Amino acid sequence: MTMTHDDVLSTYEAMLALSAKMVSAAECGQWDELSLLEKRVGAHVAALQANDEQVLLEGASRVKKVAIIKQLLAYDRTIRDLTTPWMAQLSQLINSSGASRRLNNAYGGV
């Protein structure tokens, strides 16, 4: 199904609303919610990729699309800033757990 100009803008606006919720979820450490929201944004991205090039926005619509994309990028940067420390902590925990398991396997339980 081909998207209309309004469909394209509505999809970008939906992505923006979801991305704002993603920031909130990341700020609260709600990683499962963040992941679910990310999947919903991904569905919108897929729809745009299938249709966006067929719909050329001009004038105010194009300006609005660009503004939304800039805000999406800002949200993405904020989410990345919030998740990076958590990911590093998780990685350290996984590596530590793996090292403990290897030591236990090598030397047996004490």
Side-chain angles (χ1 to χ4, degrees):
M1 178 176 119
T2 302
M3 297 176 90
T4 66
H5 290 85
D6 290 338
D7 292 336
V8 169
L9 283 177
S10 293
T11 302
Y12 276 105
E13 288 169 343
M15 289 171 53
L16 187 61
L18 289 169
S19 293
K21 290 179 182 180
M22 288 173 66
V23 169
S24 180
E27 288 172 337
C28 296
Q30 298 173 337
W31 310 120
D32 291 338
E33 178 69 11
L34 177 64
S35 178
L36 292 173
L37 291 166
E38 185 177 30
K39 288 176 185 173
R40 290 176 60 193
V41 169
H44 288 300
V45 169
L48 285 173
Q49 287 175 333
N51 293 284
D52 197 26
E53 290 186 14
Q54 300 170 15
V55 180
L56 297 175
L57 299 178
E58 296 178 355
S61 295
R62 184 175 179 85
V63 170
K64 186 172 184 175
K65 175 183 168 183
V66 169
I68 290 172
I69 290 171
K70 286 180 180 179
Q71 184 60 53
L72 286 169
L73 291 171
Y75 282 156
D76 181 65
R77 189 171 33 257
T78 300
I79 293 164
R80 215 172 323 115
D81 290 345
L82 291 165
T83 57
T84 298
W86 176 75
M87 293 294 289
Q89 184 181 22
L90 184 60
S91 177
Q92 182 180 10
L93 181 64
I94 290 169
N95 289 336
S96 173
S97 175
S100 293
R101 196 171 26 256
R102 286 190 301 274
L103 284 171
N104 191 35
N105 288 340
Y107 298 105
V110 180

